[in-house]
Amino acid sequence: MTISKKASRSIAVNEQQFHWAVSEDSGYSNLIVQGANGHGQKLEVQFSWTSTTDGHIIQIPITPAVVVDAIKFGFENGWKPDARGAAYHCRFMPDNGFVAFHR
């Protein structure tokens, strides 16, 4: 299933075009990235929300710069945006950066 162009933004990394979108869930945000052709493997990044000592919830802002970093992490760790297959999953940990994981 491709990412809806209507609900996504475009970005270019290493002269490749991608579409990306963010969805909010209970306790985390999900970044989904896919090649602009809509046929390759997706990159799915989970961003956990954190609580401060005074009880406030902090969400990491998912900016275009963060999306570029996620795409570069994916390239360096086995994501193949032009290949078909199951999504490549990773998490962003505020203290450790991007970490790959398998579902």
Side-chain angles (χ1 to χ4, degrees):
M1 175 184 256
T2 61
I3 298 173
S4 167
K5 289 182 184 179
K6 187 183 266 188
S8 68
R9 297 177 65 185
S10 296
I11 196 164
V13 177
N14 297 339
E15 299 182 17
Q16 286 184 270
Q17 294 292 320
F18 299 93
H19 292 293
W20 63 279
V22 176
S23 64
E24 304 297 329
D25 205 339
S26 179
Y28 56 91
S29 301
N30 287 312
L31 166 67
I32 310 295
V33 180
Q34 189 173 32
N37 67 12
H39 297 293
Q41 184 181 39
K42 290 181 185 174
L43 172 66
E44 296 184 6
V45 186
Q46 187 179 73
F47 292 80
S48 296
W49 302 350
T50 57
S51 298
T52 62
T53 54
D54 61 359
H56 288 91
I57 302 294
I58 300 172
Q59 290 177 259
I60 297 167
I62 302 175
T63 64
V66 171
V67 175
V68 168
D69 288 345
I71 290 170
K72 288 179 179 179
F73 175 85
F75 283 152
E76 294 167 1
N77 291 279
W79 174 49
K80 297 181 180 11
D82 295 326
R84 293 191 185 272
Y88 181 90
H89 296 275
C90 61
R91 288 188 176 131
F92 181 83
M93 309 298 281
D95 296 330
N96 298 327
F98 293 97
V99 178
F101 77 97
H102 300 284
R103 286 190 179 174

